[in-house]
Amino acid sequence: MPKRKTTQEDIELEKSPGIAMLFGEVTTELVQELCAWIIGENISEHPPDTLTLMINSPGGELSSAFALIEIMQGSRIPIRTIGLGEIASAGLIIFMSGTKGCRILTPTCSVMSHHFSAGVAGNYHELLNANKEWGFIHKRIVDQYMRCTTLEESVVREKLIPNQDVFLSPTEALELGLADEIKGIGV
């Protein structure tokens, strides 16, 4: 099969040391590996200028996603995020938490945002406490969208986390401030 010609608009990965991938569900184990990678690169004797986190994820564990986001935000090295395939739910929150100006969607990436879902069983008091925690989680999500997009809370709630799933094209995600540019990948 002939190789597609690389264009000026493509992301040049071969010139980018420090690449990791978050493919699949966001889990504690995967996030632990990614956090170790970011920390390791930051304390390296010869750290790269930029880290690149490629993301193709339907979402997953929110507590793990926020742990990764904390490490990303503490990184001295800028973190370029590249969304390809699908970025949804917790995968989207991680993607948009990359360094502003460095959040790239590929032209065919599917983007989905929604309310988180959870389940719990227990007695009355346990359910009340779980409800309180769900309120905290929802606030953290809204606050993260506002930080990453500069949208007002009412716009975030209306356009990105209403009462149903929101599917966005890369162009729509760009317009809402979830990403900074749309590019292909030149390998």
Side-chain angles (χ1 to χ4, degrees), residues 14-77:
E14 67 270 14
K15 298 176 187 169
S16 305
I19 298 174
M21 293 184 227
L22 190 169
F23 277 38
E25 189 173 336
V26 176
T27 64
T28 301
E29 297 77 23
L30 180 56
V31 164
Q32 181 179 358
E33 290 176 27
L34 292 170
C35 288
W37 166 69
I38 293 168
I39 292 167
E41 293 288 3
N42 272 269
I43 63 173
S44 168
E45 197 170 308
H46 302 288
D49 293 333
T50 304
L51 298 177
T52 299
L53 179 58
M54 300 178 77
I55 304 170
N56 175 23
S57 174
E61 299 172 9
L62 274 171
S63 58
S64 295
F66 276 108
L68 177 57
I69 290 165
E70 289 288 338
I71 296 296
M72 290 170 66
Q73 291 172 341
S75 176
R76 290 188 319 264
I77 304 169

Side-chain angles (χ1 to χ4, degrees), residues 149-151 155 159-160 166 168 171-179:
T149 64
T150 68
L151 296 173
V155 177
K159 296 194 178 281
L160 294 170
V166 177
L168 302 165
T171 302
E172 291 169 323
L174 185 69
E175 290 168 357
L176 287 167
L178 297 170

Side-chain angles (χ1 to χ4, degrees), residues 79-81 95-105 148-149 170-171 173-183:
I79 299 178
R80 172 172 65 174
T81 52
F95 166 81
M96 70 184 189
S97 298
T99 302
K100 284 197 179 176
C102 301
R103 303 169 305 167
I104 302 165
L105 289 174
C148 294
T149 64
T171 302
L174 185 69
E175 290 168 357
L176 287 167
L178 297 170
D180 301 307
E181 59 185 312
I182 301 168
K183 284 186 174 184

